[in-house]
Amino acid sequence: MSIIFLLGFRGNSVDWEGGILKYQKTVYQALTMITQFGVNMLVPIFLCSFAGMFLDRKFGTDIWMVALFFVGALAGFTNVFRFARRIYETPAKTRRRSTQIKEEMEENEKAEETTQIILSLQKQARASGELSQENIDADEAAAFEAV
């Protein structure tokens, strides 16, 4: 019961701006992941070792336990490798909110710069009497290319 509580718990952290962020990967999830690495490694080793001991007792030999131990170790390393590869291949779903806010602010600043360039070009065109829809469209295209 307590394990289910720990796995479902989401911890809080304070970022440098003072806001509270909820991370998808908490300490408990990291501990769960470490435990999964251990289980993925140890279970095949124990199962193969016990199967080898059973075969050794049944046939009166001494080689099966050693051979199946190495088979279990190989299977365990394969499981851990696949698990780690799956973790690192998945894109990060969570990012710090402060990073997302910074990126949004940069995008907004670029859009504002583009708007200011367009307005200044239209103002110049009005002043010179060259304001037409073709000129406005060309100015907008030039402003977007500049940014």
Side-chain angles (χ1 to χ4, degrees):
M1 181 72 157
S2 63
I3 292 175
I4 295 172
F5 171 73
L6 291 177
L7 294 178
F9 178 73
R10 301 256 193 253
N12 291 335
S13 178
V14 179
D15 67 346
W16 58 274
E17 295 175 354
I20 295 178
L21 300 175
K22 290 188 176 183
Y23 291 107
Q24 188 173 2
K25 290 187 178 183
T26 64
V27 174
Y28 299 114
Q29 288 174 336
L31 289 174
T32 303
M33 194 179 317
I34 292 169
T35 304
Q36 285 177 341
F37 274 111
V39 168
N40 282 336
M41 186 67 202
L42 294 177
V43 167
I45 291 174
F46 283 129
L47 288 178
C48 288
S49 295
F50 286 129
M53 288 190 318
F54 172 76
L55 290 174
D56 281 340
R57 287 185 186 155
K58 184 171 183 172
F59 297 123
T61 60
D62 292 330
I63 191 71
W64 288 109
M65 194 269 185
V66 174
L68 289 179
F69 172 83
F70 286 113
V71 169
L74 181 64
F77 282 120
T78 304
N79 286 341
V80 168
F81 177 74
R82 288 179 183 165
F83 184 67
R85 185 177 60 193
R86 185 178 45 193
I87 289 170
Y88 286 111
E89 283 180 353
T90 56
K93 294 180 182 176
T94 60
R95 296 178 62 190
R96 293 187 70 105
R97 181 71 182 141
S98 59
T99 304
Q100 291 175 347
I101 290 172
K102 286 179 188 177
E103 289 176 356
E104 290 172 2
M105 287 175 54
E106 289 173 1
E107 290 175 6
N108 290 340
E109 287 175 3
K110 287 181 181 179
E112 288 176 17
E113 289 175 9
T114 304
T115 304
Q116 291 299 326
I117 291 171
I118 291 171
L119 292 175
S120 66
L121 291 174
Q122 288 176 354
K123 190 176 188 181
Q124 290 173 356
R126 278 191 204 110
S128 64
E130 300 173 358
L131 185 61
S132 66
Q133 190 60 37
E134 294 94 23
N135 290 346
I136 292 174
D137 293 337
D139 291 343
E140 288 177 355
F144 281 113
E145 289 175 9
V147 176

